[in-house]
């Protein structure tokens, strides 16, 4: 078990304590949210930079993290683009929050943009870090391990799940689970001095304070993976808690809400249903609704026109991460109450997943 709390700059005598959060998942956790307008399309609407320069996001209704939201587009409670860029157009670099991203990439440093799959992109770590750093005076370290195109059924399969029934004894643990846990152990035991300025293993302390999960696309491509998802997720949470010696480790899950309120594919809804179900009977597990943050490319014309990865919408990724961070804070202080998440088929007027540039419908 590891141990918590407050950033003190190099040169002071006071001890440095750090809250560490593990982030894991596939490509949507890797991060495909476009941050800079130069990396976006057309006028950059849908990028983080655009939202910093254009306060139209304030006109959106707020979806409270711990409440049942209306079935409409919204912004995350506590999300704020003010202060994310300076007057010279540079993104703010925060000196009290840090990121280690391993897996498909290898990046580390202070919290800012760039810890997505590309250097001009973000993942949920950005909004989550912004949320968590405001919770107290303690330093925050986000250790993210993510790899695109991976599923919980095989790649992330936790040890206690046993081998997949169809695999005849092949597995577990999955290679993603194995690599993620190895990286976290290595960072905690050997690398904190390299990541957090001034950290000294002899005098300072670090605590694994939470686990964040944003994944589900690949499992939702297969009926068996979808039907097994709830049980596999229970095993994942249990095994991560056992692995790091924190029996009640808070777990914040960003709902696999790709497609928004118009999502009608039953496998996709089945993944959402499984994620919500787990939160109803496991202690200190919260699932945040994300479908209101979905933006079809035709709404913005400014990120990436593809039928997945939240259309590369950086604003969306900020909202997803912020909601996960707000949930995590409430799990830690004991105030979290899980809201109902409706995973029934959408109403006929709830909209669709949108259309691609050539006019064809996107397939979920």
């Amino acid at each position: 078990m590891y141990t918590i709390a407050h950033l003190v700059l190099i040169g002071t005598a006071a001890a440095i304590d750090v809250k560490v959060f593990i982030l894991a998942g596939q490509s949507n956790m890797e991060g495909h949210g476009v941050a800079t307008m130069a990396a976006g399309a057309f006028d950059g609407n849908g990028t983080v930079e655009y939202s910093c320069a254009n306060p139209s996001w304030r006109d959106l209704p707020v979806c409270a993290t711990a409440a049942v939201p209306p079935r409409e587009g919204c912004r995350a409670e506590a999300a704020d683009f003010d202060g994310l860029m300076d007057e010279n157009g540079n993104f703010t670099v925060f000196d009290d929050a840090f990121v280690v991203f391993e897996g498909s990439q290898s990046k580390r440093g202070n919290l800012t943009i760039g810890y997505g799959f590309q250097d001009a992109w973000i993942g949920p770590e950005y909004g989550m870090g912004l949320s968590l750093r405001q919770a107290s005076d303690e330093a925050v370290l986000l250790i993210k391990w993510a790899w695109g195109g991976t599923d919980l059924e095989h790649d992330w399969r936790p040890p206690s799940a046993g081998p997949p029934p169809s695999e005849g004894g092949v597995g577990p643990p999955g290679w993603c689970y194995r690599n993620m846990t190895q990286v976290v152990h290595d960072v905690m035991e050997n690398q904190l001095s390299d990541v957090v300025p001034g950290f000294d293993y002899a005098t300072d302390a670090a605590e694994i304070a939470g686990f964040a999960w944003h994944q589900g696309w690949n499992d939702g491509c297969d009926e068996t993976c979808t039907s097994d998802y709830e049980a596999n997720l229970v095993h994942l949470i249990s095994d991560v808690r056992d692995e790091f010696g924190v029996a009640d480790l808070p777990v914040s899950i960003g709902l696999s809400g790709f497609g928004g309120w118009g999502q009608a594919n039953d496998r996709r809804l089945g993944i959402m249903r499984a994620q919500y179900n787990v939160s109803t009977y496991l202690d200190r597990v919260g699932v945040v609704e994300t479908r209101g943050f979905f933006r079809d490319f035709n709404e913005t014309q400014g990120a990436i026109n593809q039928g997945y990865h939240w259309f590369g919408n950086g604003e969306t990724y900020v909202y997803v991460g912020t909601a996960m961070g707000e949930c995590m804070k409430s799990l830690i202080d004991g105030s979290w109450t899980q809201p109902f998440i409706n995973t029934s088929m959408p109403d006929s007027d709830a909209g669709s997943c949108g259309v691609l540039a050539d006019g064809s419908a996107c397939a979920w």
Side-chain angles (χ1 to χ4, degrees):
M1 180 175 177
Y2 303 99
T3 40
I4 195 172
H6 185 129
L7 178 66
V8 180
L9 297 178
I10 301 174
T12 67
I16 298 172
D17 297 310
V18 186
K19 273 192 173 180
V20 180
F21 298 88
I22 305 166
L23 285 66
Q26 58 179 114
S27 57
N28 286 293
M29 181 57 86
E30 276 181 323
H32 289 250
V34 181
T36 65
M37 292 172 64
F42 300 104
D43 65 354
N45 190 356
T47 66
V48 179
E49 183 178 358
Y50 184 93
S51 294
C52 291
N54 297 274
S56 56
W57 56 272
R58 292 187 179 278
D59 297 332
L60 291 167
V62 175
C63 279
T65 309
V68 179
R71 290 198 167 203
E72 61 182 354
C74 59
R75 58 186 168 102
E77 179 182 13
D80 193 342
F81 292 88
D82 291 346
L84 299 187
M85 299 187 75
D86 64 22
E87 64 276 7
N88 296 317
N90 301 308
F91 278 96
T92 303
V93 177
F94 296 93
D95 63 3
D96 56 357
F98 310 90
V99 181
V100 172
F101 176 13
E102 295 291 341
S104 64
Q105 306 291 310
S106 185
K107 306 177 182 182
R108 57 187 57 201
N110 293 66
L111 177 67
T112 186
I113 68 157
Y115 294 103
F117 188 66
Q118 294 187 15
D119 290 342
W121 294 0
I122 63 166
E125 81 290 331
Y126 188 60
M128 192 169 183
L130 294 173
S131 170
L132 292 172
R133 64 175 290 274
Q134 298 172 2
S136 68
D137 294 329
E138 299 162 343
V140 169
L141 171 59
L142 308 177
I143 304 177
K144 181 171 82 166
W145 202 100
W147 200 292
T150 54
D151 62 31
L152 181 56
E153 179 83 350
H154 303 95
D155 308 302
W156 287 94
R157 195 170 187 85
S160 65
S166 61
E167 301 286 318
V170 178
W175 67 276
C176 289
Y177 179 91
R178 184 172 60 252
N179 281 279
M180 178 269 291
T181 54
Q182 288 175 351
V183 164
V184 173
H185 280 301
D186 191 31
V187 171
M188 294 296 293
E189 295 165 15
N190 304 304
Q191 300 181 33
L192 289 177
S193 297
D194 299 327
V195 177
V196 180
F199 187 90
D200 186 337
Y201 279 95
T203 58
D204 303 327
E207 173 195 35
I208 292 181
F211 177 68
W213 180 248
H214 189 42
Q215 188 275 343
W217 177 269
N218 273 59
D219 289 274
C221 293
D222 178 86
E223 293 287 355
T224 299
C225 295
T226 300
S227 64
D228 291 347
Y229 195 90
E230 182 175 337
N232 287 336
L233 186 55
V234 171
H235 285 295
L236 177 68
I237 293 168
S238 175
D239 288 355
V240 167
R241 286 171 166 172
D242 288 346
E243 180 74 31
F244 298 108
V246 187
D248 61 348
L249 185 69
V251 177
S252 176
I253 299 171
L255 191 77
S256 298
F258 327 120
W261 295 114
Q263 180 58 267
N265 184 299
D266 196 53
R267 295 190 311 278
R268 303 289 173 213
L269 294 171
I271 296 296
M272 299 183 210
R273 192 172 303 120
Q275 292 172 338
Y276 168 68
N277 286 348
V278 167
S279 75
T280 66
Y281 57 82
L282 288 188
D283 291 337
R284 301 194 88 187
V285 175
V287 179
V288 294
E289 180 62 82
T290 61
R291 285 174 286 182
F293 308 147
F294 175 77
R295 303 291 184 265
D296 190 285
F297 183 80
N298 288 337
E299 293 181 54
T300 64
Q301 298 288 315
I304 303 173
N305 193 6
Q306 59 183 202
Y308 41 89
H309 297 151
W310 297 106
F311 282 104
N313 192 292
E315 182 181 342
T316 293
Y317 273 90
V318 171
Y319 294 155
V320 171
T322 300
M324 293 176 70
E326 293 298 297
C327 172
M328 183 67 76
K329 290 192 295 188
S330 295
L331 288 166
I332 290 172
D333 69 22
S335 64
W336 178 256
T337 300
Q338 178 63 49
F340 173 66
I341 293 180
N342 186 353
T343 56
S344 62
M345 283 290 196
D347 298 332
S348 59
D349 61 353
S352 67
C353 68
V355 295
L356 303 181
D358 62 0
S360 61
C362 57
W364 300 102

